[in-house]
Amino acid sequence: MPLASRHLLGLEGVSQEDITDILDTAISMREILERPIKKVPSLRGVTVLNLFYEPSTRTRISFELAEKRLSADTINFSASTSSVKKGETLKDTVRNIEAMKMDMVVVRHKSAGAPYFLTQCLESNIINAGDGAHEHPTQALLDMFTMRQKYGKLAGLRVLLVGDIKHSRVARSNIWGLKAMGASVAVCGPSTLLPYEAERFGVDVYTKLDEALEGVDVVNILRIQLERQQSGMFPSQREYTNLFGLNHHRLKRLNDNFTIMHPGPMNRGVEITTDIADGPNSLILEQVTNGQAVRMAILYLLSGKKDSDKVEEVDA
Amino acid sequence: MTAKAVKTKVSQPESYDLVVTGGDVIDPILGTIQNAAILIADGKFVSVETDKKKINAAIKKTDKANVIDASGKLVTPGLIDLHVHLREPGREDEETVMSGAAAAAAGGFTTICCMPNTSPAIDDQETVRFVLSEAALADCRVLVVGAATKRRAGEELADIGDLVKAGVVAVSDDGDYIQNPDLMRRVLEYSRMFDIPIMQHAEDKYLVGDGVMNESFASAKLGVRGRPAVAEEIAVLRDIKLASFTGGKVHIQHVSGVGSVEAIRRAKAEGVNITAEACPHHFTLTDDLIDKEFDTNLRVNPPIRTQADVDAVIAGIVDGTIDCIATDHAPHSAEEKEVEFDQAPPGMVGLETVLGLVKTYLIDKGFITWQEAISKMTVNPARIIKQDLGDLQTGRSADLTIIDPDREWTVDPSKFKSLSRNTPFGGWKLSGRVEMTILKGKVRYSEGE
């Protein structure tokens, strides 16, 4: 079954079928990563632009490796070393690059909606690698892949997201994706870092971590950005850690076969203690490996998809 | 027909500039609507006439070409907009005084007030005079609102006395709230000497921060920083207290939230010297229209809010809490709007769509009558800026708007007279269209020409 869209902009509104399709495809990609020769020719001749307007290490490397393992040609662009500094607009920048015959664009941008904006300026398939605090769909898909790998299914799982939910694109994409798959989702964080009317996302909302952890299968811990403290969202790192830091005392409230996840980069000793991050229930490094497989699956499924594809298939 | 027009016996002129016959004439002062002719000489109203013989006698003394048959149409005093951004000086690529005035005429306006957030800001006599001289031959009367503080920086009083001398009708730092309460107090006290209103863009700067849309579930979903409605409400409440304390006149621009409407309603009941305007986008659009497509044409300050806010703004229009309808016409170039949502400047053009939106969303929905709508676009704004405009009294400047009340049309931004196209209403089907705009007895806009 082809995906409903030729882009991956977010998980809000994406169907269970499409998510399942991506996760199933990622299983085969994950197998490729275990081979001695980790390369297949699927995207030979396809050129992918990695357009990073925000600093990123892991997502960018993960995408680049995913592209290379599928034999795509890749170009990296970072805003700090480009014409953006000379005042060129996003639209002009990407149209110029596309004129060099690009097929797919992976974009990370500080402005929410930038990936959708690109779909209006370009012919390429657009993959959102994080837009502001809006969505980060590949991160959520790799999180779901990791959960499904361990538990066999997502339906019925109880997942808790802890931290700065308000400014987190990872949280939003996880909420939409997990809910589409039938998981039950809760969020927990300081009330200043919860989104307006958070319960309308269809999640349980907590401000007390111990209550939130009760009976949970998966805890996904978000990075707390220290500049939030400077802008008055919480009083101090110490108080944040006391109230929302995950430590081994708190683990007993979780279900037996619990899982600890973190999208990285971690502030060890702040939102999570080292013994838990490196403990037996942590899948943090597995997430990183799976990220590559999921991104390979997305690149593979979207590559070559045109606006007209869907219509033709309906006709047939 | 106005009571005055009947009573006043004026000497009949030798000839008439213009006679508008057959239309249903709205008198916003009396709240009447009746079939009558309007006789115009020397650029001024002579009378509103219902007597067939007198009308025929007048027609005989008028050039055939200057007899306008308005049968089936509404004829109203020329519309007045208290809130328009002309981008001259500074951004003549987006709007000039001439192009903005042409857009205004096409929207049925004969008088507009331009805001001082130009570059440089309109904060001295020279700049006021420049704008007024540019406007001398324009299709619409342009009145100038001066800056309340020097360079609109919110730090020290502008030379308000000088500005008044040069002709400004109000002062405002529109675009920005005068955040410092002590400075606002001085602006109000000082302006009292000149009997002019302070037009306030009421949004507390600290509470809006760098927010780009209403703070609500819609902004939460999109992960963008919100501008909460309470930022407006607090700003309004502070100014109510300062107006009451100083005796100055505050005019709250573009009221957009439930709490602000309620605050103004209470203040009026307590006798505070306060007036308010509402814009079409705040009674037609809700924030959930801003979705995954992040349409930058929906970005505006104060932002479009929830259905409850829309309902409150309409209720304020209905019960008179909101005195007038203004557009906050804010032209922006395509280059400026074709960017990431949070990078786009706030504002939308509005002069050429307001009448159809008022008809379709306020009159057709049964909230207000044509007479009430026209009051809020003529005599009410005229009173706020103390201008002898907005009604049909003998001797007044002969400014008229002729409206085809039920004509359906589709908004086509490419046809705008404005130099800018940034509207979220493109493609909307509206009812009620401006057919003709007459300024000082001369036709300045005629639909289809």
Side-chain angles (χ1 to χ4, degrees), chain A residues 12 91 109 111 117 172, chain B residues 220 222 292-293 338 340 342:
Chain A
E12 186 189 358
K91 184 178 178 181
H109 200 288
S111 295
F117 178 76
R172 281 174 183 74
Chain B
L222 299 176
K292 288 183 271 188
E293 300 191 3
E338 279 186 348
E340 304 89 316
D342 56 5

Side-chain angles (χ1 to χ4, degrees), chain B residues 296-357:
Chain B
T296 56
N297 283 326
L298 291 165
R299 187 170 170 207
V300 62
N301 292 343
I304 54 173
R305 302 193 194 272
T306 65
Q307 189 59 48
D309 295 299
V310 167
D311 294 344
V313 168
I314 293 174
I317 290 171
V318 170
D319 74 7
T321 299
I322 290 167
D323 301 85
C324 54
I325 291 162
T327 63
D328 191 8
H329 177 83
H332 289 292
S333 66
E335 306 89 86
E336 281 192 330
K337 281 286 191 181
E338 279 186 348
V339 295
E340 304 89 316
F341 188 80
D342 56 5
Q343 304 300 309
M348 52 182 79
V349 292
L351 286 167
E352 295 171 77
T353 46
V354 56
L355 189 91
L357 290 165

Side-chain angles (χ1 to χ4, degrees), chain B residues 379-437:
Chain B
V379 65
N380 290 5
R383 280 177 188 147
I384 290 168
I385 51 171
K386 290 195 169 293
Q387 299 292 305
D388 289 333
L389 294 168
D391 60 41
L392 301 167
Q393 289 188 47
T394 301
R396 286 265 200 275
S397 174
D399 302 345
L400 285 176
T401 305
I402 300 176
I403 298 163
D404 190 340
D406 297 314
R407 184 162 148 207
E408 297 192 351
W409 60 291
T410 302
V411 178
D412 178 359
S414 71
K415 300 255 163 62
F416 284 169
K417 305 274 184 197
S418 169
L419 294 181
S420 291
R421 305 276 178 265
N422 54 303
T423 175
F425 299 112
W428 283 40
K429 290 189 172 38
L430 300 178
S431 164
R433 183 135 171 93
V434 174
E435 294 267 304
M436 190 175 279
T437 308

Side-chain angles (χ1 to χ4, degrees), chain A residues 210-247:
Chain A
D210 285 335
E211 286 174 16
L213 290 169
E214 211 67 60
V216 161
D217 299 303
V218 179
V219 190
N220 201 344
I221 302 175
L222 306 173
R223 174 185 170 78
I224 185 74
Q225 291 186 318
L226 299 176
E227 59 260 34
R228 302 291 174 217
Q229 187 268 323
Q230 283 144 22
S231 61
M233 297 288 188
F234 62 93
S236 66
Q237 190 177 304
R238 185 187 58 81
E239 179 155 316
Y240 182 86
T241 303
N242 287 342
L243 293 173
F244 298 98
L246 195 64
N247 55 45

Side-chain angles (χ1 to χ4, degrees), chain B residues 128-317:
Chain B
V128 176
R129 289 189 184 124
F130 165 75
V131 173
L132 290 174
S133 71
E134 286 298 302
L137 299 173
D139 289 333
C140 173
R141 180 183 295 103
V142 176
L143 301 175
V144 178
V145 175
T149 70
K150 289 195 177 78
R151 303 176 311 285
R152 296 177 54 255
E155 287 161 3
E156 47 185 338
L157 284 180
D159 295 333
I160 295 174
D162 265 13
L163 291 170
V164 169
K165 217 167 168 185
V168 306
V169 295
V171 291
S172 174
D173 276 3
D174 179 40
D176 290 306
Y177 182 53
I178 301 171
Q179 183 73 40
N180 179 336
D182 186 54
L183 180 61
M184 182 59 181
R185 171 195 171 166
R186 304 303 168 198
V187 172
L188 282 162
E189 280 179 341
Y190 196 76
S191 302
R192 233 177 44 184
M193 290 195 292
F194 310 105
D195 198 22
I196 55 167
I198 320 305
M199 297 180 166
Q200 180 75 285
H201 178 131
E203 275 192 299
D204 184 279
K205 280 184 190 177
Y206 295 101
L207 284 167
V208 296
D210 52 5
V212 294
M213 67 179 285
N214 185 40
E215 180 162 346
S216 67
F217 183 56
S219 69
K221 276 210 298 194
L222 299 176
V224 303
R225 174 83 193 261
R227 304 172 78 91
V230 71
E232 180 182 81
E233 187 179 348
I234 284 174
V236 168
L237 285 166
R238 186 204 75 175
D239 284 354
I240 287 168
K241 291 299 169 195
L242 286 175
S244 154
F245 175 59
T246 60
K249 289 205 301 190
V250 175
H251 173 74
I252 304 295
Q253 302 181 294
H254 39 48
V255 175
S256 67
V258 176
S260 317
V261 175
E262 183 49 36
I264 296 164
R265 182 177 291 127
R266 265 185 277 126
K268 283 189 162 185
E270 289 163 13
V272 178
N273 212 340
I274 187 168
T275 54
E277 72 190 28
C279 302
H281 44 275
H282 291 131
F283 62 74
T284 54
L285 303 175
T286 49
D287 57 3
D288 51 3
L289 294 169
I290 303 172
D291 60 8
K292 288 183 271 188
E293 300 191 3
F294 291 88
D295 181 357
T296 56
N297 283 326
L298 291 165
R299 187 170 170 207
V300 62
N301 292 343
I304 54 173
R305 302 193 194 272
T306 65
Q307 189 59 48
D309 295 299
V310 167
D311 294 344
V313 168
I314 293 174
I317 290 171

